[in-house]
């Protein structure tokens, strides 16, 4: 509906006779009555004054918009009055009002009427429109001015409605690199395609650019590119595409095309239970990564504090050691005694929560705590998380038979009581002792490995870090390294960190030495890769691998494998699970040899890429 369907020549007064606010309202109401728009003039005026009593409708800039929605109105209408001299209408800016638009809406006014009236408010904010209305010499000119201006707004509204809105959520286990790379790739491709998109990032610092419920309702489809659990129930009834986060980096155009075509199943959620429309990246991997991503801040922060304490001496935290230093003890107490001690309970708690939602958290935490204190270590924590999660899922099904009146006590009493009890009993009598023995056996096996076997292990672990650059294979190696640190064997993680640093560093060196083989954008990205590689962020290599996987991926795997093997050959151990170059000074063994291993691996990658790639013509 147009404004000019509500405002006609017979509801326009070019020169108001009124001199006061009360007279203006009555004069405009008289016009409405004469044009047959009202059932009851007096009741309508009462409604107008009731609205004015709440707050003046003299909005300033010479404009007043008195209005009422009442059963006294027969048909929706707008009446316009103009006063050259101006009238004191109690305007917000204290100035006289010259243009008066009185809006009469019946109680059952529909959305089309309200949209037209909203459009009128938009027009009145335009100074050029107000000027044209003030200077119009006839009713016909006023109608024509409104039609022209409204036509432009309606066209813009149609273009906005016709443009399909796509939403996306990106999340990776660490929330550092993949999350934001995926978001940037989707936004860049959407801009190129002329598609309106909004991307929510679930990163290490929390949810940013969160999606509103209204945006979700208006969206044509939602892309969820995530390798950890994100809030899904809000997408109930929408077409949802669920893929690994790497897909958003490597093929954003394909995902956006699918979203525009609604080429995805409709997501269905049920209370207390997340039901996924797609089975991609669900199950074991997603639950594990939910635990790992929430555990990482404890691992990184606590591990680096432990590593810093070693600067004072390997045993400087021990009051009985000659090298004792109180700062070393404080760092070890905070990093090892507190942060690192929470690592396994947090891992287990969030795995369980991923499986069974909030009721699974407490049983998982307790099971993980028992694993940590009972010597079952990292592997015991993994078992505790999955055990508690699926036990609570079973309890939910079992307790679903109870009367509806007991629904409120399930999450606060029944789930925690029986979940913690059953998880604790199974961990105590079934899990802890066998897993403890297995851990001791693995530690002994690694300690007794010959040099050749250690080199082979380093080769494999280093290469795994480069296969998918932050994906499941990379995280599997990283998780193994943390487990070995927890068990007291620092050699595997040294190879793992070296292997993880090589891909971005190798590609950064390649962009420096072989400039003609890379585009300008890739050379600029190469500078960033120096920082990402030095900080142990393997994901920095992803843009290069996505652009030329056939040449880049084999090159980074070989370079990382070489670095891992050399690290083992040089007898390097790493007590810190993260930190890149910042923890090299405290490695067990020769730090310079560790740097050499990383440098050799990076150069292998750089030269392989440089020799294989063809020159780029820009």
């Amino acid at each position: 509906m147009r404004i000019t369907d509500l405002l006609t020549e017979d509801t326009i007064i070019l020169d108001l006779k009124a001199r006061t606010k009360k007279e203006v309202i009555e004069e405009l109401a008289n016009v409405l009555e004469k044009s047959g728009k009202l059932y009851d003039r007096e009741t309508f005026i009462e409604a107008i004054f009731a609205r004015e009593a709440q707050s003046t409708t003299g909005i300033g800039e010479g404009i007043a918009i008195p209005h009422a929605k009442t059963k006294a109105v027969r048909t929706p209408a707008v009446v316009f009055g103009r006063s050259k001299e101006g009238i004191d209408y109690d305007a917000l800016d204290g100035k006289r009002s010259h243009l008066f638009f009185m809006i009469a809406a019946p109680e059952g006014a529909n959305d089309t009427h309200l949209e037209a009236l909203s459009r009128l408010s938009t027009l009145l904010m335009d100074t050029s429109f107000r000027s044209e209305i003030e200077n119009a010499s006839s009713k016909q000119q006023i109608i024509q001015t409104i039609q022209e201006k409204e036509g432009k707004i309606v066209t813009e509204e149609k273009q906005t409605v016709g443009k399909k809105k796509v939403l996306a959520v990106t999340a990776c286990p660490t929330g550092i690199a993949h999350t934001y790379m995926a978001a940037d790739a989707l936004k860049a491709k959407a801009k190129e395609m002329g598609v309106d998109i909004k991307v929510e990032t679930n990163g290490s610092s929390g949810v940013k650019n969160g999606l509103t419920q209204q945006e979700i309702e208006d969206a044509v489809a939602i892309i969820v590119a995530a390798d950890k659990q994100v809030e899904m129930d809000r997408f109930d009834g929408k077409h949802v595409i669920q893929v690994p986060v790497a897909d958003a980096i490597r093929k954003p155009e394909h995902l956006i095309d699918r979203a525009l075509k609604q080429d995805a199943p409709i997501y269905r959620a049920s209370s207390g239970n997340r039901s996924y429309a797609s089975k991609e990246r669900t199950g074991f991997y997603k639950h594990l990564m939910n635990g790992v991503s929430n555990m990482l801040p404890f691992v990184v922060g606590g591990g680096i504090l432990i590593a810093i304490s070693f600067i004072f001496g390997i045993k400087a935290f021990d009051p009985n050691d000659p090298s004792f230093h109180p700062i070393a003890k404080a760092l070890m107490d905070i990093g090892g005694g507190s942060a690192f001690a929470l690592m396994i309970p947090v891992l287990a708690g969030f795995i369980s929560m991923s499986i069974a939602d909030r009721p699974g958290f407490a049983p998982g935490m307790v099971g993980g705590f028992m694993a940590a204190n009972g010597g079952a270590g990292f592997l015991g924590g993994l078992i505790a998380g999955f055990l508690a999660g699926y036990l609570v899922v079973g309890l939910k099904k079992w307790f679903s038979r109870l009367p509806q009146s007991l629904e409120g006590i399930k999450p606060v009493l029944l789930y925690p009581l029986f979940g913690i009890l059953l998880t604790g009993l199974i961990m105590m009598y079934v899990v802890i002792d066998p897993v403890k023995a297995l851990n001791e056996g693995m530690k002994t096996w690694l300690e007794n490995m010959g040099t050749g076997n250690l080199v082979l292990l380093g080769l494999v672990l280093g290469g795994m870090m480069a296969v998918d650059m932050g994906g499941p294979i990379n995280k599997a190696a990283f998780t193994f390294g943390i487990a070995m640190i927890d068990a007291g064997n620092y050699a595997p993680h040294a190879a793992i960190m070296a292997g993880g640093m090589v891909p971005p560093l190798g590609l950064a060196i390649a962009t420096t030495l072989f400039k003609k083989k890379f585009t300008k954008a890739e050379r600029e990205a190469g500078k960033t890769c120096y920082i990402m590689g030095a900080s142990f962020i393997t994901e920095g290599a992803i843009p290069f691998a996505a652009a030329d996987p056939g040449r880049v991926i084999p090159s980074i795997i070989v370079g990382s494998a070489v670095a891992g093997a050399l690290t083992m050959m040089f007898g390097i151990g790493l007590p810190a699970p993260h930190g890149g170059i910042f923890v090299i000074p405290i490695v067990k063994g020769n730090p310079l040899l560790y740097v050499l291993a990383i440098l050799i691996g990076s150069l292998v990658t750089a030269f392989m890429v440089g020799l294989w790639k063809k020159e780029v013509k820009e």
Side-chain angles (χ1 to χ4, degrees):
M1 177 171 283
R2 300 283 185 127
I3 296 170
T4 47
D5 292 330
L6 303 174
L7 175 67
T8 57
E9 288 186 25
D10 62 341
T11 57
I12 293 177
I13 305 174
L14 291 177
D15 190 9
L16 284 167
K17 295 181 175 61
R19 293 294 179 264
T20 65
K21 181 174 183 176
K22 180 176 182 295
E23 289 175 357
V24 171
I25 291 173
E26 290 177 346
E27 188 173 350
L28 295 175
N30 288 339
V31 173
L32 288 172
E33 184 182 38
K34 288 178 182 178
S35 59
K37 307 298 183 183
L38 303 178
Y39 286 117
D40 186 336
R41 173 184 174 277
E42 297 305 320
T43 301
F44 175 72
I45 291 176
E46 286 178 11
I48 289 288
F49 277 112
R51 171 62 186 85
E52 293 295 326
Q54 296 174 12
S55 62
T56 181
T57 57
I59 62 175
E61 301 293 336
I63 303 167
I65 313 177
H67 57 274
K69 187 176 182 181
T70 168
K71 61 184 179 181
V73 176
R74 185 189 303 273
T75 56
V78 175
V79 57
F80 168 67
R82 184 176 65 183
S83 172
K84 291 288 187 180
E85 295 79 13
I87 298 168
D88 183 3
Y89 200 84
D90 301 326
L92 294 174
D93 59 2
K95 297 179 181 178
R96 286 178 170 265
S97 300
H98 298 271
L99 305 179
F100 300 87
F101 287 88
M102 177 177 277
I103 299 169
E107 283 192 339
N110 59 33
D111 290 342
T112 57
H113 299 142
L114 299 178
E115 285 172 11
L117 299 176
S118 173
R119 218 176 290 131
L120 173 61
S121 301
T122 303
L123 287 175
L124 291 172
M125 294 299 103
D126 185 342
T127 53
S128 64
F129 171 76
R130 295 203 304 267
S131 178
E132 289 181 45
I133 293 294
E134 286 173 354
N135 298 315
S137 58
S138 66
K139 295 181 179 181
Q140 293 85 352
Q141 190 176 348
I142 290 174
I143 295 293
Q144 185 179 350
T145 300
I146 293 173
Q147 286 176 335
E148 289 175 358
K149 295 288 185 180
E150 185 179 21
K152 293 180 181 179
I153 291 179
V154 171
T155 300
E156 291 173 0
E157 288 176 349
K158 287 181 178 178
Q159 289 174 345
T160 302
V161 171
K163 195 173 185 181
K164 294 181 178 180
K165 176 88 172 183
V166 174
L167 301 181
V169 180
T170 61
C172 66
T174 54
I176 297 173
H178 277 70
T179 299
Y180 303 103
M181 288 179 177
D184 290 342
L186 287 168
K187 287 187 283 188
K189 184 57 65 175
K191 184 177 180 181
E192 182 184 311
M193 298 168 67
V195 175
D196 191 7
I197 193 169
K198 179 178 178 180
V199 185
E200 172 187 296
T201 54
N202 285 234
S204 56
S205 58
V207 174
K208 297 291 174 64
N209 204 31
L211 307 179
T212 67
Q213 196 57 46
Q214 186 60 52
E215 287 170 335
I216 293 168
E217 289 175 7
D218 295 341
V220 63
I222 295 101
I223 300 167
V224 178
D227 283 340
K228 71 172 187 177
Q229 192 176 46
V230 297
E231 184 187 346
M232 292 294 296
D233 280 356
R234 53 188 167 154
F235 303 138
D236 185 44
K238 303 297 294 185
H239 291 274
V240 178
I241 300 167
Q242 284 189 275
V243 294
V245 69
D247 280 14
I249 300 171
R250 293 171 182 164
K251 43 188 178 183
E253 185 173 1
H254 171 69
L255 293 178
I256 294 170
D257 275 335
R258 283 185 61 190
L260 293 174
K261 296 173 184 174
Q262 294 188 321
D263 179 19
I266 292 177
Y267 175 82
R268 294 298 180 196
S270 58
S271 179
N273 180 39
R274 288 180 173 85
S275 172
Y276 292 89
S278 168
K279 294 300 179 183
E280 294 178 274
R281 284 285 181 252
T282 57
F284 178 84
Y285 177 76
K286 180 161 282 189
H287 302 320
L288 174 62
M289 287 302 102
N290 194 57
V292 170
S293 64
N294 284 286
M295 175 193 73
L296 274 179
F298 296 89
V299 173
V300 176
I304 293 177
L305 288 175
I306 292 171
I308 294 172
S309 77
F310 291 152
I311 294 174
F312 296 90
I314 296 299
K315 295 288 185 180
F317 61 87
D318 185 355
N320 299 318
D321 193 87
S323 64
F324 173 72
H325 195 290
I327 295 179
K329 183 179 187 305
L331 291 169
M332 180 60 75
D333 287 347
I334 297 168
S338 299
F340 229 56
L342 287 169
M343 176 181 74
I344 293 173
V346 167
L347 170 75
F350 279 95
I351 288 175
S352 181
M353 185 175 175
S354 178
I355 296 168
D357 212 342
R358 289 188 180 184
F361 185 68
M365 283 285 289
V366 171
F369 185 77
M370 293 178 69
N373 289 317
F378 199 86
L379 181 58
L382 289 176
I383 294 171
F386 285 99
L387 171 66
Y390 288 115
L391 274 174
V392 173
V393 169
L395 288 173
K396 284 183 176 182
K397 292 181 179 178
W398 180 262
F399 291 140
S400 65
R401 306 172 185 177
L402 295 178
Q404 186 68 28
S405 59
L406 298 177
E407 195 68 29
I409 69 168
K410 290 180 184 178
V412 297
L413 176 62
L414 299 181
Y415 295 147
L417 172 61
F418 288 97
I420 290 172
L421 174 63
L422 293 175
T423 301
L425 289 173
I426 295 173
M427 289 296 297
M428 183 180 296
Y429 294 110
V430 179
V431 175
I432 289 179
D433 288 340
V435 174
K436 181 179 179 181
L438 180 62
N439 284 338
E440 291 295 329
M442 185 180 295
K443 182 180 177 182
T444 302
W445 174 65
L446 286 172
E447 289 173 349
N448 294 331
M449 262 189 168
T451 302
N453 289 332
L454 284 172
V455 169
L456 179 61
L457 179 62
L459 190 83
V460 172
L461 291 174
M464 287 175 69
M465 293 299 291
V467 171
D468 53 1
M469 297 154 283
I473 297 175
N474 170 286
K475 287 296 181 289
F478 182 75
T479 302
F480 175 75
I482 295 173
M484 290 301 96
I485 290 177
D486 185 53
N489 191 309
Y490 304 131
H493 204 70
I496 287 163
M497 186 176 289
M501 293 171 69
V502 162
L505 286 175
L507 289 163
I509 295 170
T511 59
T512 302
L513 298 179
F514 305 97
K515 293 182 179 180
K516 294 182 179 179
K517 303 290 183 80
F518 298 92
T519 65
K520 183 180 179 181
E522 287 174 330
R523 292 195 297 272
E524 290 299 315
K527 296 174 184 177
T528 307
C529 278
Y530 279 112
I531 299 170
M532 298 184 81
S535 304
F536 184 40
I537 301 176
T538 316
E539 289 91 337
I542 288 175
F544 296 91
D548 190 0
R551 296 180 178 88
V552 171
I553 292 177
S555 300
I556 61 177
I557 290 174
V558 171
S560 293
V562 168
L566 289 174
T567 298
M568 287 291 198
M569 184 183 296
F570 295 152
I572 307 296
L574 182 64
H578 212 286
I581 60 170
F582 305 105
V583 296
I584 286 177
I586 52 86
V587 298
K588 291 180 176 292
N590 191 324
L592 293 178
L593 288 178
Y594 193 36
V595 172
L596 180 63
I598 295 169
L599 182 59
I600 290 173
S602 299
L603 289 171
V604 168
T605 290
F607 279 99
M608 286 183 68
V609 170
L611 291 172
W612 282 3
K613 283 183 72 69
K614 297 178 181 179
E615 286 191 14
V616 174
K617 294 181 180 180
E618 294 188 90

